[in-house]
Amino acid sequence: MFGKGKTVADQLVEVLIQAGVERIYGLVGDSLNALTDAIRRNDAIEWVHVHNEEAAAFAAAAEAQLTGKLAVCAGSCGPGNTHLIQGVFDAHRSAAPVLAIASHIVSTEIGSGFFQETDPKQLFGQASHWTEMVSSAEQMPRMARMGIQQAVGKRGAAVLVMPGDVLAAEATNETGAGHAVAGPVLGAPSDYVLEDLAERINAAKTVAIFGGIGCADAREQVLQLAEWLGAPVGHTLRGKDVLQYDNPYDVGMSGLLGYGACYEATHEADLLLLLGTDFPYRQFLPQKNTIQIDIDPSRLGRRTALELGVAGDVGATITRLMPKLERKDHKFLNRMLTKHVRELDRVVDAYTRDVEHLVPIHPEYVASILDEEAADDAVFTADTGMCTSWAARYITPNGRRRLLGSFVHGTMANALPHALGAAKLDPSRQAISMSGDGGLAMLLGELLTAKLHNLPVKVVVFNNSSLGMVRLEMLVAGDPPYETDHDHVDFAAIARAAGLFSVRVEKPDEVRGALRSVLDHDGPALLDVVTDPDALEIPPHITKEEAAGFALAAGKSVLSGGVGQMLHLARTNLRNLPR
């Protein structure tokens, strides 16, 4: 639509379409009227109505993480933006390329304390790589393309602030043609850095690898490196999808949700290689004898003291590095694999013995059944809290499944809107929200969004009438739980009233059949499972001092229990060791 009468909003829509955007998630409002009207008149892009702007940003973030491409959300001025920012913050910290369109009050009233006025530039400054306001029609379409490029090029959120009157103004420049370039293109480091890196690795008798989401496109190179160096491979939660499955060098995960021999391997090795991870918990890293490789130079050394920091793409760096490395024996690797099995064997019985008969239902039992019944290419989204624990230990990656969560920002209520974005992107792919009752209650209205668009999300509610993770954190600190529990809620009844198919389960022998009926339903569905609020509670005889140490003893506490099919993988790897 070129020519007289085209608005800035029309032009913005054209630029987004050129960038490959197919939909905008948002909630309509008067300052967005020109944009939503432009979308109404353009069949190439869709407005996806949600019930809270926060959910719009979460949904866009899920789409961006699943595709690696730009996704877009929008919020109206004032409160619309303050709702939107939670999801934008999460997208940004997850390195999801998301453009947020934050509409503003009429430009002539900015600075006057007008109705619903905020300062979006200050508001979104910490939640984005780039936040700028379009003050006049003359700045378009260049500003829109700049915002897109910031989001795609730097992998995170960019925010385009648009006063309502500017959106409605007549466009003064032609849109022209344009397309955002690809994301980060940093390859391998210079030869002298590779020589230094190789020399340090060759000098170490034993090496361990700890990898994160930055290994997503380098799985084969990481496994090749592990085989050559005899290096056990641990991973972060975000690295689980990438590095755990079919990995003969796997020793589990570190951190508060850790399991297996990862902690020991990373601390006992002469040299630790941090590959593509910005793992934030310093107390789980050895703080010595460490080399870090990351595509983002700003991350180097901010979590641990480094012998060497290398800026480069993980896969490209390993490829260039391999010819320079001397092969190592597998004695250290084999010892860590043996220890890994022993650690999993030690704890798994406590989480599997007779749980199919226990009431209230043990949540790990529900998660294990979900893992068995879900599709091989399902997208799982996990609420922050205990649901993250169940996903970390029981959802088995296979190279086709994906697990999304607020693993860096750590906000509640992310699972359902993340699942909405996944389902909207590809309705034929199973999208399963592992929701806590606390998280679901926060954005309960998004059940209406699922129904409105007939999105086939499957919501599994771990309903323990408690803020389980907060409860556990209090116990870890040696404090009695306070204000963490709430009244029992029948979420199945609420979902049914909203028009969703729903089932409520209180007995463990009903879980599999109920879950199967929800997964098989053609449309949005919810399974409300009444679970035990005391799952993973610290034993009452533990002292405050022991409880404080509990959080730091990775692989040695109740938190390391429950490992689902990971024990099978570990035992398989052990059987393959030479005798």
Side-chain angles (χ1 to χ4, degrees), residues 149-169:
Q149 194 55 42
Q150 290 284 335
V152 174
K154 292 184 176 178
R155 311 303 290 179
V159 182
L160 193 64
V161 181
M162 303 287 297
D165 58 319
V166 176
L167 276 169

Side-chain angles (χ1 to χ4, degrees), residues 122 166 186 307 336 352 355 372 398 413 446 497 536 579:
Q122 289 194 45
V166 176
L186 184 64
E307 300 296 319
M336 288 298 112
T352 57
V355 294
E372 294 171 7
N398 57 13
E446 298 313 315
L536 288 185
R579 299 298 179 184

Side-chain angles (χ1 to χ4, degrees), residues 39-121:
I39 293 170
R40 179 185 64 83
R41 292 182 280 101
N42 195 318
D43 293 336
I45 199 165
E46 177 186 7
W47 180 268
V48 182
H49 174 79
V50 299
H51 287 76
N52 187 303
E53 291 89 351
E54 180 178 348
F58 279 128
E63 180 178 321
Q65 289 179 80
L66 290 170
T67 65
K69 299 177 182 178
L70 181 73
V72 181
C73 58
S76 58
C77 66
N81 288 338
T82 56
H83 287 305
L84 187 70
I85 191 171
Q86 180 71 289
V88 172
F89 224 131
D90 182 75
H92 183 55
R93 300 201 69 191
S94 299
V98 168
L99 178 69
I101 300 168
S103 66
H104 202 353
I105 63 171
V106 174
S107 58
T108 54
E109 296 293 345
I110 293 174
S112 71
F114 193 69
F115 176 65
Q116 293 190 324
E117 182 175 4
T118 60
D119 186 342
K121 283 196 66 173

